[in-house]
Each structure stands twice: as C-alpha cells, then as structure tokens.
Amino acid sequence: MSEKWQALRDHALSVARRPILSLFDAPGRAQAFSVDAGEMRLDYSKTNIDEQAKAMLLTLAEVSGVADKRAAMFGGEKINDTEGRAVLHTALRGGIEAKVMTEGVDVMPEIRKTKARMAIFTREVRTGKFTGQGGKITDVVNIGIGGSDLGPAMVTLALAPYHDGPRIHYVSNVDGAHIADVLKGLNPETTLVIVASKTFTTIETMTNAETARAWMATKVTTPAKQFAAVSTAADKTAAFGIDSARVFGFEDWVGGRYSVWGPIGLAVMMAIGPEAFEDFLAGARAMDEHFVAEPFAQNMPVQLALVGIWHNQICGHTTRAVLPYDQRLSRLPAYLQQLEMESNGKSVAMDGSDLPIHSGPVVWGEPGTNGQHAFYQLIHQGTRVVPCEFMIAKAGHEPDLAHQHLLLVANCLAQSEALMRGRSLNEARAIMEKKGAVGDELERQARHRVFPGNRPSTTLVYPKLTPFVLGQIIALYEHRVFVEGVILGLNSFDQWGVELGKELALALQPILEGGDASGKDGSTQALVEYLRG
Ligand code: F6P
C-alpha cells in the first residue's frame, strides 16, 4: 500500500473517535463541505472528513491520474483495455465536443441517425401510425436483463409524471413467473415487444423473447411485425426475424450498465416521448460538462467518489446504503448495485497484479421513509457503521400533497441528524426516569435506548425529479464510479466475474434433464439428485 493510502488511514484512525458534530464548531463547515452542480447540492459535512482529510483525498485523486483517464475516456481511447474497447456512453447524450472520435471515426453522426430513427418510430407508436394487428399499441414489453433492464426500468418508474405514451412493462428474469405475470394482463394484438440485449445472446433475454413470440402467435398472424430490437448484433436480430427497420443498433463502446442513454432507452422514449428523452440526455450532458470543467474541489462526482473512498477503503466500512427519499427512485438502489458493483467489484489492478486495497463496497438501499420502518434499526444501533447516502427533492410533483413532501423532507433530515448526533446514556436515563424507572432496571432499559451516533451520511438535494435532473443524477453516479475505479487502479468497464456462472448454468441444464452429474462436486450432485427426485 502506497504512502498516500497509509497516511490517510493513519489520519482516519487518529480522528475515529472524534464526534462529527464537533466539526461544526468551525464556522462555515456545512458550506465548505458541500458542492453544487447546477441546481443540485451534495452535502458531505455530516462525515468525519476534515480539512486535512479533504486535502489528502484530493491529492490522492490527483496522483491517481483521474484527470488523464477522464480525458482518455472522453477522447475515445480504449480505456477498457481488457475488452479492447473505448468507453463512450457520454457520446450518446450528445458528447461535450461537437465531434467524438474513436479509432479515427467521429461516432456522433451515427448516434444522431439512430436517435432520429428511434424518435420517428416512437412517434409512430405513440400516435397510432404504427399499429399492432388489433390497432393502436397500448402496451410495450421490454425484454432485457442487467443493463438492458435496470436502467430503462428505473428511469421509466422515476419519470412516471411524464408518461403520456403506451403502458411500459419490463421482463428480465428467466423465471417463467416473471413473463407469465406480465403477459397475463396484455392483449397480444396491441402489444409491442422490444428485445433489448447488447449481445443478443443472453440466455434469459432470448428465452423470454421466444416465449413472448409464442404468446403473440396465439393471436397474431405475423408476430415479428410487433417486435423491435435493440442490440449491437445486427446479424443476430435478423436471425431472430426482426425487420431491420425496427432494429436500433449501438456500438460495443457502450457498456450494458451505461446504456440507458441510447437505444436501450427506447422503452423510456416510448413512455415520455422524444422531447422529454432529450431533456433527460441534456441533464446527463450538463453533469458531463461539470465533471470535465470543474476543479476537483468543486467537482461533485469527484467529491462523491472521495467520500466513498474515505468510508470504504480508508475507514473500512464495507457497505454503502443509498436512501432516496423519493418513491419514484425505488429502483435506483438496484440500478446502482449493477453500476457500482459490476464496475468496481474486482480483485485485480489494471496491470494484472492483485489490488493492494479492497475494491468497491456492497451497495444497497430502499426508499425512505419505508426503510425507516425496516432496516434503519441496524443503521442506528447495530455494531457496524453503514455510511448512508440520502437523496431528497426540494419539491414533489404533487402540489396538492405538499404537506406530505414536507413530512418526507423532515424525515430525511431527521435521519441524518439522528445518525450523527445519537443519544447519550444520560439522555436515555432521563427518558427512563420520566417513565418512572429506577435503579438497575432504569440503567438496563436506558442502555437499550442509547444511540452511538457519529455515523456518517451525505445528502444530495435536487430541485424536482424532472427528466433533466434524473439525467444529472445518473451521470453523477456514473462518474463517481469512474473516479473511484481510477483511484483504485482497476478497470471499471469489464465484468468477467459474471462469466463463470453462465458457463456452469449451460453445463447444468442437460444434467438436470437426466445427464451424468458425476463430474460435479458433492453438494451440487446431491442438490441435482434432490431436485430431479
Ligand atoms: O451478465 C452480465 C451482463 O453482461 C451485464 O453486463 C449486462 O448489462 C447484462 O448481462 C445484459 O447483457 P445483454 O444486454 O448483452 O443482454
């Protein structure tokens, strides 16, 4: 471990018992430990990061080559070198330069062309110019998994107030229950199926696509006419029988978990329309511009990444809770799980050596206030510290229910305050005294009511969950993951760790159908036997 890491750890250790609350004795703490991007504010003042830690973390980002890597990414270099690919999802939202070059080719004209085709098709579906066998399309089913599901599904839910198109449904799991439940309520004659798969080989997606086609064939003479595809593999979409007029391609320099900005976002475009989709892209572009232009000290993705590094690699907190106080962001934690854990869950550095430090944290979460009545108990009183990332809008979309939004905000702020402040034994004793407890019983009961406090959190405040703001938020997290990955010295853009399970599942299928299990380990053999029995 390098000196810089060690120095940060030493510093963290030396201040570990300091109450975060005491940091507010210095005037201006909240402002100095907040960063703005557009109309969003990230407050990280309720962490144990002080001026010294902040300076050391900023140096760490500088010496780790974040600026050079950022330039290489936006410049179309093949920074995903274990797959030999550039990383250009930022180009899908318009790029920060007029031309975005990779391998001597400007990728922008093709991106614009495909987006224009998506918009035309979307308008045709939404106006009824494109119909199913039974008339205007009422329902769209997006079949995809991982990045071909989590991004568009999360965004569709988040932007519910902007829906003015057909109903959108998502099927991802190979568990037949998923597709069965979704298709049960739909009419094949007025349903459009989008098969979304970057590779068009993913077994779950292809199996569900076959099931959907068979379902449609029960009522529709030419099901293929009600199918569209989103993929990098034009040959495979053609082999599946989908007309190239309804195939929307993209290049392999878009990672699955970074793909919602392009054709994988087709179902989102169907829901909210091409104009609102443009706003969504514009929000992400605004965050790209902020990320590229702002000095690290005022750079929101960099600061969020440094807070993450501080909590995970420096302080040793192994998980990170994402707690949006926004019901429409209820799929955001799942989306971020893929974004963060598939990107930064690695053990090997870029040069092939073992990582000298831990890679990214376990990311999890649920919307508030629901989580408060479930797992917050552990966050407040458990023995492990869980850094929390709160998110809250200034305003909701329901002016008639402004009093509920106020309550939501109050709860969000109360939780971060409670985590930091805690409740001392003396305060707990006073509560028990009021209840009439005495002696040992008072003491015993009081101990159960102590909150250790000093638990760190960040709060992201955004104006209102519009398409633009959602674009900003997602791009913020993408760049945060990028910065953390560069500092950790790993490749955030491959995902070899998902391959082995896929290979073994393929090999197990014939065994489950009666094949020879003798090559398997004892546990797998026994389970196969039990399942077959
Ligand atoms: O297996 C993981 C993964 O490759 C993800 O990275 C990806 O988002 C998902 O599967 C779906 O892949 P595809 O879009 O190629 O079907």
Side-chain angles (χ1 to χ4, degrees):
M1 186 190 302
S2 79
E3 268 173 40
K4 294 246 163 1
W5 286 101
Q6 194 52 55
L8 267 160
R9 285 219 176 137
D10 291 346
H11 178 65
L13 214 58
S14 72
V15 298
R17 301 184 71 81
R18 171 184 62 194
I20 296 173
L21 202 53
S22 71
L23 292 169
F24 289 87
D25 293 346
R29 160 95 189 161
Q31 289 70 26
F33 291 79
S34 288
V35 56
D36 290 353
E39 291 182 69
M40 293 201 315
R41 169 160 297 180
L42 172 71
D43 177 325
Y44 60 100
S45 63
K46 289 194 187 89
T47 66
N48 208 0
I49 297 176
D50 54 18
E51 287 294 353
Q52 189 183 337
K54 188 171 160 180
M56 291 166 94
L57 287 163
L58 284 167
T59 306
L60 183 69
E62 270 149 27
V63 300
S64 306
V66 171
D68 287 349
K69 208 48 173 284
R70 180 182 60 187
M73 176 171 75
F74 281 95
E77 285 177 38
K78 292 189 175 182
I79 61 165
N80 174 4
D81 81 345
T82 55
E83 293 184 316
R85 294 172 183 170
V87 174
L88 282 177
H89 51 278
T90 51
L92 293 175
R93 44 227 199 193
I96 49 168
E97 304 284 349
K99 286 185 174 187
V100 179
M101 309 293 290
T102 189
E103 296 193 278
V105 177
D106 177 12
V107 301
M108 292 312 296
E110 198 53 40
I111 288 174
R112 285 191 206 103
K113 214 158 83 188
T114 305
K115 198 165 59 172
R117 287 182 52 235
M118 284 167 65
I120 290 170
F121 181 52
T122 298
R123 286 197 182 97
E124 287 178 353
V125 170
R126 286 162 57 95
T127 57
K129 190 170 172 205
F130 174 93
T131 61
Q133 186 174 290
K136 191 172 177 185
I137 296 295
T138 54
D139 296 87
V140 173
V141 178
N142 186 91
I143 298 180
I145 197 164
S148 302
D149 167 76
L150 287 165
M154 181 271 286
V155 172
T156 302
L157 179 63
L159 298 181
Y162 300 87
H163 287 200
D164 53 4
R167 289 180 291 263
I168 313 290
H169 313 267
Y170 288 89
V171 172
S172 52
N173 203 325
V174 76
D175 181 348
H178 198 177
I179 193 158
D181 287 352
V182 168
L183 297 184
K184 196 159 56 190
L186 306 186
N187 175 2
E189 294 179 318
T190 57
T191 296
L192 172 74
V193 174
I194 300 173
V195 185
S197 174
K198 177 176 166 179
T199 55
F200 231 69
T201 55
T202 305
I203 191 93
E204 292 92 332
T205 300
M206 300 324 296
T207 307
N208 277 322
E210 295 285 1
T211 302
R213 186 160 60 182
W215 167 80
M216 203 172 272
T218 58
K219 283 271 183 67
V220 170
T221 12
T222 323
K225 283 191 181 159
Q226 284 175 228
F227 270 68
V230 174
S231 183
T232 56
D235 52 335
K236 297 193 175 72
T237 59
F240 192 83
I242 302 178
D243 191 327
S244 61
R246 290 187 304 283
V247 174
F248 303 92
F250 57 106
E251 299 295 325
D252 67 4
W253 37 253
V254 182
R257 53 196 175 273
Y258 299 88
S259 62
V260 68
W261 316 103
I264 291 289
L266 182 62
V268 176
M269 201 190 257
M270 294 273 173
I272 64 175
E275 291 76 18
F277 192 78
E278 276 300 337
D279 290 345
F280 172 59
L281 300 187
R285 202 162 55 241
M287 185 54 74
D288 293 342
E289 283 161 6
H290 169 97
F291 178 49
V292 167
E294 291 301 325
F296 284 0
Q298 278 92 48
N299 195 306
M300 196 183 277
V302 172
Q303 289 299 344
L304 189 58
L306 293 177
V307 172
I309 295 277
W310 169 260
H311 286 147
N312 186 220
Q313 283 79 17
I314 307 295
C315 299
H317 307 314
T318 55
T319 85
R320 166 190 297 167
V322 182
L323 307 166
Y325 276 65
D326 195 323
Q327 183 60 26
R328 293 192 179 105
L329 287 180
S330 55
R331 292 298 287 158
L332 185 73
Y335 171 81
L336 291 180
Q337 276 174 342
Q338 184 191 19
L339 182 64
E340 303 209 11
M341 293 165 78
E342 204 172 63
S343 297
N344 288 346
K346 314 280 163 69
S347 305
V348 173
M350 289 300 282
D351 64 5
S353 61
D354 288 342
L355 276 190
I357 37 179
H358 280 300
S359 62
V362 174
V363 177
W364 59 287
E366 271 286 311
T369 57
N370 298 13
Q372 291 175 203
H373 299 275
F375 55 80
Y376 277 40
Q377 166 63 40
L378 181 147
I379 293 181
H380 284 290
Q381 286 191 316
T383 51
R384 288 190 178 87
V385 173
V386 179
C388 294
E389 302 195 346
F390 294 97
M391 305 171 75
I392 182 78
K394 270 190 190 168
H397 278 91
E398 290 71 30
D400 296 351
L401 301 176
H403 63 292
Q404 292 201 209
H405 190 74
L406 203 76
L407 197 53
L408 187 70
V409 176
N411 271 277
C412 180
L413 295 182
Q415 290 300 325
S416 64
E417 186 188 352
L419 283 167
M420 175 171 70
R421 189 178 287 278
R423 181 195 280 152
S424 68
L425 186 55
N426 275 342
E427 287 168 330
R429 283 184 185 126
I431 291 171
M432 290 319 298
E433 264 164 25
K434 269 200 191 139
K435 286 182 188 283
V438 289
D440 287 353
E441 184 56 7
L442 179 148
E443 198 62 18
R444 191 179 73 81
Q445 291 288 352
R447 292 210 62 207
H448 287 276
R449 286 157 176 80
V450 168
F451 286 61
N454 222 17
R455 304 206 158 187
S457 68
T458 60
T459 305
L460 179 72
V461 183
Y462 47 93
K464 190 177 183 175
L465 197 59
T466 61
F468 186 90
V469 167
L470 182 64
Q472 280 181 301
I473 292 173
I474 302 172
L476 163 66
Y477 276 93
E478 284 180 350
H479 294 320
R480 182 253 192 111
V481 167
F482 169 82
V483 174
E484 288 194 12
V486 177
I487 292 175
L488 296 174
L490 48 79
N491 181 4
S492 298
F493 298 102
D494 64 11
Q495 58 284 311
W496 297 111
V498 301
E499 295 303 323
L500 182 58
K502 289 183 193 175
E503 280 168 32
L504 295 178
L506 272 184
L508 271 161
Q509 274 179 69
I511 295 175
L512 284 165
E513 284 166 349
D516 178 15
S518 59
K520 295 287 166 193
D521 61 85
S523 164
T524 307
Q525 270 185 42
L527 286 168
V528 164
E529 217 170 281
Y530 189 72
L531 281 158
R532 287 199 299 213

